[in-house]
Amino acid sequence: MARTWSPDSWHGLVAEQQPAWPDAGDLDRALKQIGSLPPLVFAGEARSLQSALGQVAAGNAFLLQAGDCAESFEEFSANNIREKLRVILQMAVVLTYSLGVPVVTVGRMAGQFAKPRSQPFERVGDTDIPSFRGHIVNDPSPTDAARRPDPERLVQAYHQSASTLNLLRAFTKGGFAHLNRVHAWTQEFIESSPEGQRYQALATEIENALAFMRACGIDTENNPALHQVDVFTSHEALILGYEEALTRRDSLTGDWYDCSAHMLWIGERTRQLDGAHVEFLRGVGNPIGCKIGPAATPEFVLELCQMLNPARIPGRLTLISRMGADNVEDKLRPLLRAVHDSGHPVVWACDPMHGNTFTSTTGRKTRHLDHVVAEIAGFVRAHRAEHTWPGGIHVELTGDDVTECLGGSHALSDEDLDDRYQTVCDPRLNGRQSVDLAFRVAELIRSNLN
Ligand code: PEP
Ligand code: CO
């Protein structure tokens, strides 16, 4: 018999990676306040995303999940959001045009604040201070006072998510995303690069296609499919109190939805089958993701599918593999085979970032674009060998001209990293590297189809 579930049924279980909030009363007050505030997304939207992901699971569409490693309270501006959206739209258009299938676009945006950490403490001088856990919890400055978890930050994260989502909705529904503006999505710093020129050539082809459609009498101005896009939101559901406070019962179906984002995922460090995160997410109606690292066995993955998607609803579950470029083919194939044989409908997405992080000779945490591409290539080869659909990618990027990841057409090297290393957590691809990656992914998937 299925165990009963409620938004607080995770309370009795071990919840990894939770901040040590200094004052239970303050935490309680912040969570009650969030609980009284409006939902950020609606159940119907989460269901639309789930049915779009169902198409990905069936091999008829592709998932692009992209955005910050960690959103920042300090770098929060309309500019920042628009630049990130521009790059994501550029990538989506490259993938749609090159693959010839719909692209389901999901941002790591409007709520991606909380970070799991490998070490709960960080050594500064000769003292240990709590690790930085994202702006939703504490401040990154390296002092004990700054690192003290502050529940007021939960409320601030809610409000920043609401403003971000409002802007995303305005940009994607209000004309900015019209396909007749594809040229205008390119930022100046990308325009002159080889991938920028490649993008402009593709944009010209799209413009020609639109002109052709107009010449045939098709009204391209007023067709919503051409001037609006759906950009859904997602984040790692890490701080369970926050997620619970935003979990609401849908008046239409009576089902529970976590209304903090359209899609939530479970991180590599919190995916214990008997843990609080799996318990919480199994009961909400949203589409759910789970990171799958190199230690995951076929037995684990099958149990996870059974716990998170017992009804086998296509689009409900996305497995996001993050194996590292050297491991991916060998580690992934047995998992693909087991899930396929079990008949569970899942979306397989590739996170080519988190298994390929290393420290540069100059002491910066970084990733190399070549390793990112190599992991996606291995992911595609594994799917080809197992006759399954390489359903999507999950990447950390920013629209800005940062220098955080190595490689790309400008061949960023260790020495360049100090120029504009701005991330509050992991190194992100910059705009040029992201557009470059979209073209390379499209080539890899197309060669797999031939
Ligand atoms: C992340 O996606 O930022 C992350 C921490 O990933 P993982 O859980 O796969 O390590
Ligand atoms: Co990250």
Side-chain angles (χ1 to χ4, degrees):
M1 209 180 79
R3 281 179 296 132
T4 56
W5 182 92
S6 62
D8 64 359
S9 58
W10 60 271
H11 287 202
L13 303 175
V14 176
E16 298 287 348
Q17 298 284 340
Q18 302 306 288
W21 302 104
D23 186 302
D26 287 348
L27 174 64
D28 201 46
R29 269 185 295 280
L31 293 178
K32 282 216 170 69
Q33 188 182 348
I34 295 168
S36 69
L37 293 169
L40 293 171
V41 304
F42 299 105
E45 298 174 322
R47 281 192 289 272
S48 301
L49 173 58
Q50 182 157 284
S51 74
L53 290 170
Q55 288 302 313
V56 179
N60 302 323
F62 192 77
L63 168 65
L64 170 63
Q65 191 169 12
D68 259 309
C69 177
E71 286 171 291
S72 160
F73 283 0
E74 274 125 44
E75 293 201 351
F76 171 47
S77 67
N79 245 356
N80 183 284
I81 296 162
R82 191 188 51 233
E83 295 312 293
K84 214 174 304 168
L85 179 64
R86 274 180 167 194
V87 172
I88 294 174
L89 290 176
Q90 281 183 286
M91 293 179 81
V93 100
V94 167
L95 289 165
T96 309
Y97 196 81
S98 312
L99 298 179
V101 296
V103 171
V104 182
T105 310
V106 182
R108 284 177 63 115
M109 287 176 90
Q112 173 49 31
F113 292 105
K115 298 315 298 174
R117 302 316 301 251
S118 309
Q119 303 297 332
F121 292 95
E122 183 184 330
R123 189 109 194 128
V124 174
D126 51 10
T127 51
D128 284 334
I129 61 169
S131 295
F132 172 59
R133 292 185 177 272
H135 282 163
I136 192 171
V137 175
N138 55 8
D139 183 280
S141 313
T143 68
D144 200 45
R147 296 287 173 85
R148 193 180 144 94
D150 177 2
E152 266 310 301
R153 289 176 168 270
L154 296 164
V155 180
Q156 194 177 340
Y158 167 89
H159 288 298
Q160 183 165 322
S161 301
S163 320
T164 304
L165 195 52
N166 183 49
L167 211 54
L168 278 181
R169 290 188 197 279
F171 280 137
T172 53
K173 304 296 171 194
F176 182 78
H178 198 308
L179 268 184
N180 67 13
R181 292 183 47 120
V182 277
H183 275 296
W185 297 344
T186 311
Q187 302 99 309
E188 260 168 43
F189 79 94
I190 299 185
E191 223 168 293
S192 55
S193 66
E195 50 278 3
Q197 282 162 11
R198 203 170 168 194
Y199 176 79
Q200 292 298 359
L202 184 142
T204 301
E205 282 182 42
I206 292 174
E207 276 189 348
N208 290 342
L210 289 175
F212 173 75
M213 284 160 73
R214 277 192 294 276
C216 296
I218 296 168
D219 179 1
T220 61
E221 278 313 298
N222 296 309
N223 187 328
L226 298 174
H227 68 82
Q228 298 184 356
V229 289
D230 288 324
V231 173
F232 295 98
T233 61
S234 70
H235 60 258
E236 176 172 351
L238 187 69
I239 314 265
L240 290 176
Y242 177 84
E243 303 302 334
E244 180 189 335
L246 280 163
T247 297
R248 312 287 162 87
R249 203 190 266 279
D250 173 31
S251 55
L252 215 60
T253 60
D255 295 335
W256 291 97
Y257 282 83
D258 181 348
C259 297
S260 70
H262 299 110
M263 177 180 182
L264 288 314
W265 78 84
I266 306 174
E268 171 70 358
R269 293 163 192 78
T270 50
R271 58 173 167 75
Q272 302 77 18
L273 292 171
D274 56 355
H277 291 82
V278 169
E279 170 60 20
F280 174 72
L281 285 168
R282 81 179 172 89
V284 298
N286 312 56
I288 301 299
C290 187
K291 294 289 194 84
I292 302 290
T297 62
E299 296 71 33
F300 164 81
V301 173
L302 292 184
E303 262 193 82
L304 188 78
C305 290
Q306 195 52 36
M307 287 192 77
L308 292 175
N309 191 16
R312 303 189 172 211
I313 301 163
R316 156 75 175 165
L317 182 60
T318 297
L319 298 177
I320 307 160
S321 74
R322 30 91 83 220
M323 302 291 185
D326 295 338
N327 281 331
V328 58
E329 211 173 335
D330 291 348
K331 296 281 180 189
L332 194 56
R333 283 191 59 179
L335 307 183
L336 298 180
R337 200 174 317 141
V339 173
H340 178 264
D341 291 349
S342 75
H344 268 284
V346 305
V347 170
W348 281 106
C350 175
D351 166 357
M353 316 294 295
H354 289 90
N356 296 306
T357 315
F358 64 95
T359 306
S360 72
T361 54
T362 52
R364 292 284 195 187
K365 192 172 170 190
T366 191
R367 294 153 174 163
H368 200 295
L369 186 64
D370 289 351
H371 302 162
V372 169
V373 173
E375 175 145 3
I376 298 174
F379 172 82
V380 170
R381 279 195 306 277
H383 280 281
R384 177 172 206 150
E386 299 299 331
H387 309 288
T388 45
W389 172 237
I393 56 168
H394 178 120
V395 290
E396 290 182 342
L397 55 74
T398 167
D400 302 328
D401 189 13
V402 299
T403 55
E404 298 170 7
C405 290
L406 302 170
S409 65
H410 280 220
L412 289 184
S413 67
D414 287 22
E415 286 69 37
D416 299 319
L417 293 178
D418 282 338
D419 289 350
R420 288 176 304 284
Y421 194 95
Q422 292 161 1
T423 183
V424 291
C425 194
D426 289 340
R428 304 159 298 174
L429 300 173
N430 65 29
R432 263 192 308 267
Q433 292 167 328
S434 302
V435 172
D436 189 358
L437 183 67
F439 278 111
R440 302 228 228 159
V441 168
E443 278 158 14
L444 287 167
I445 308 260
R446 280 169 62 118
S447 69
N448 186 47
L449 297 178
N450 296 332

